[in-house]
Amino acid sequence: MATRFLVYLGVQAAYFIGIIGTLTYEVGASTWALAGAVGFFNLFIIFGNATGGTLLDLRGPRLHAAVTLAVAVATSVLFQLAPPGVANVLAMSCAFGFATGLGFAFLSAYPAYLTDDADELKRVNALLAVVSNVAVVVGPAVGGLIATVLPAQRVFLAAAVFSAAAALPAYLLVERVLRVRAARVRSRALDAPEPAPATVSPDAFDADAPSVAAPAPTPDAPAATFADSVRTVFTVPSLALLFGVGVLAYTGYGAFDPLESLFYRDVLHVGISWMGWLSSAVGAGSVIGSLLAIRVPCAHVNVLTLILLIALQGVGCLLYVGTPYVACALAGQMVLGCAFGMVTPLQNTLVQMHAPIEVLGRVNSVMNAGFNGAGALPLFAAPALAAIFGVQGVLVGASLVVLAVPLVYLVVRRRTVARIVAEERKRGQEG
């Protein structure tokens, strides 16, 4: 949890203010440049996520953790050497997006390497969401404080410091993962009808170690290739449903990123520091939601609950952007954060429950690639639509999409949802 907190704290302190804030308030960039920054950030998150998932699956947690932290520190430090300008900020958006994507596995994959019990997975994922959302509170606040006295670009120094500080907890996390992995291998060996190898090293999870940790491919444990992980997502009904509703809902969020800072400046009429304060409000709500997620009974850890919570995010979005009043925006951010704080651990738990462990890193990469890709789709339509309907009009329309999509999906796919929910409840009872 400490590793995830520190890495994500750096992301939250730096991205919104350091990239979007620099373009909006210091460079005076156009909406097209803002859309480009967000689009490149999301695109390179996909690349980083795919690289990180593959690295984790094929080369083990040691190399994954080392590369993730090194890239995060390097990109943040290098940005200090470049003068502020549209081209330089766009380049930084690419590099920082890649670094951010590399670190997603700490949240989405590592819990499944520590436990395979459904109730324990829910608890671990909820606790991870709590610390992640504390980072959403603290990070933007730190960024806002820095931006009040220094150029917005300097917030990336905080990201570098936080990522460097994550090295020790990352080392302890990796060692624990290897011990748990070795214990599972020993347990499989004792249960197997064939004679087990004489010894199993904790380094069996590393790439150069013997392949005792990787069972032969079966229908439930596909071969460890990226193509198999893509196939798994679309052939396992529960994963396909999670992917489908997530992609459709995230499409609505795509309009927010290039227009949100303009909403602050031109509709709410607040300064750059409010980008930090309002983002912290999301984090505060998310902490509450994550704590509530811990209390969700196993019987409700299912796709139906997830779909309804995504619809609640749409309600929060409408309250956030529906008026020109900061108080309403603050309340909307709290509601949105609360729903988001429950959605994230629940979604991660469901993916970890349904995805084979051998391709879990890359299954998460496929899921996140779909979500980030969907969010990027409306980016370049948003500036043109804003010229016609106004910034606030586009944001309200996007909020309606976030609200309507999961509800429509629930009606259209109600039989599939009911079948998957029944299976998930049965699995929870067995766990």
Side-chain angles (χ1 to χ4, degrees), residues 70-99:
V71 171
V73 172
T75 54
S76 298
V77 171
L78 286 174
F79 192 42
Q80 305 307 307
L81 306 178
V86 173
N88 288 336
V89 176
L90 290 178
M92 183 58 201
S93 185
C94 297
F96 199 62
F98 185 80

Side-chain angles (χ1 to χ4, degrees), residues 1 4-5 8-9 12 107 127-137 287:
M1 286 190 287
R4 167 64 180 177
F5 173 72
Y8 202 53
L9 185 61
Q12 290 299 317
L107 176 70
L127 290 173
L128 276 170
V130 170
V131 300
S132 297
N133 293 318
V134 170
V136 176
V137 177
V287 171

Side-chain angles (χ1 to χ4, degrees), residues 13-392:
Y15 165 67
F16 197 40
I17 293 176
I19 294 177
I20 305 302
T22 298
L23 288 173
T24 302
Y25 287 87
E26 296 186 3
V27 179
S30 68
T31 54
W32 295 101
L34 291 169
V38 177
F40 285 133
F41 183 74
N42 285 330
L43 177 63
F44 278 82
I45 280 180
I46 294 172
F47 293 156
N49 199 359
T51 302
T54 302
L55 196 63
L56 177 61
D57 287 346
L58 299 184
R59 302 294 294 176
R62 283 181 176 154
L63 188 60
H64 169 264
V67 169
T68 296
L69 298 183
V71 171
V73 172
T75 54
S76 298
V77 171
L78 286 174
F79 192 42
Q80 305 307 307
L81 306 178
V86 173
N88 288 336
V89 176
L90 290 178
M92 183 58 201
S93 185
C94 297
F96 199 62
F98 185 80
T100 301
L102 282 174
F104 273 15
F106 288 126
L107 176 70
S108 60
Y110 276 70
Y113 294 121
L114 298 175
T115 180
D116 55 5
D117 178 77
D119 192 54
E120 184 69 10
L121 269 179
K122 181 203 74 172
R123 189 182 71 85
V124 171
N125 282 306
L127 290 173
L128 276 170
V130 170
V131 300
S132 297
N133 293 318
V134 170
V136 176
V137 177
V138 177
V142 170
L145 288 173
I146 294 173
T148 59
V149 295
L150 295 172
Q153 189 175 354
R154 299 295 176 255
V155 298
F156 280 95
L157 287 175
V161 171
F162 292 138
S163 296
L168 178 59
Y171 169 79
L172 297 175
L173 171 64
V174 167
E175 293 305 308
R176 183 180 177 188
V177 166
L178 294 177
R179 287 196 300 272
V180 172
R181 184 67 173 179
R184 287 185 183 177
V185 172
R186 284 194 293 269
S187 177
R188 288 177 186 173
L190 291 173
D191 293 339
E194 298 293 332
T199 60
V200 178
S201 165
D203 289 333
F205 192 28
D206 283 347
D208 296 332
S211 59
V212 292
T218 68
D220 296 321
T225 68
F226 193 82
D228 284 320
S229 64
V230 175
R231 190 177 304 113
T232 298
V233 169
F234 291 103
T235 56
V236 176
S238 53
L239 294 178
L241 187 146
L242 288 169
F243 183 87
V245 71
V247 164
L248 291 173
Y250 272 89
T251 300
Y253 289 111
F256 273 75
D257 283 339
L259 301 180
E260 202 168 5
S261 60
L262 299 177
F263 175 70
Y264 290 173
R265 188 188 67 186
D266 301 336
V267 179
L268 297 181
H269 302 292
V270 295
I272 188 171
S273 295
W274 274 94
M275 295 177 69
W277 313 142
L278 284 169
S279 295
S280 291
V282 176
S286 297
V287 171
I288 296 171
S290 301
L291 291 171
L292 291 174
I294 299 175
R295 309 300 300 173
V296 174
C298 272
H300 296 292
V301 178
N302 54 53
V303 295
L304 175 60
T305 303
L306 179 67
I307 290 171
L308 294 176
L309 286 172
I310 292 174
L312 181 59
Q313 288 179 323
V315 174
C317 288
L318 281 172
L319 181 58
Y320 170 36
V321 300
T323 76
Y325 306 116
V326 173
C328 290
L330 195 65
Q333 289 284 66
M334 290 287 291
V335 173
L336 176 59
C338 188
F340 183 79
M342 298 187 74
V343 163
T344 300
L346 180 58
Q347 182 172 279
N348 287 335
T349 298
L350 293 174
V351 172
Q352 291 159 13
M353 285 171 57
H354 293 290
I357 190 71
E358 291 81 5
V359 291
L360 178 59
R362 280 160 290 177
V363 164
N364 274 296
S365 296
V366 173
M367 302 290 283
N368 286 312
F371 300 157
N372 283 287
L377 290 176
L379 282 177
F380 296 102
L385 291 173
I388 301 172
F389 301 106
V391 168
Q392 190 174 24

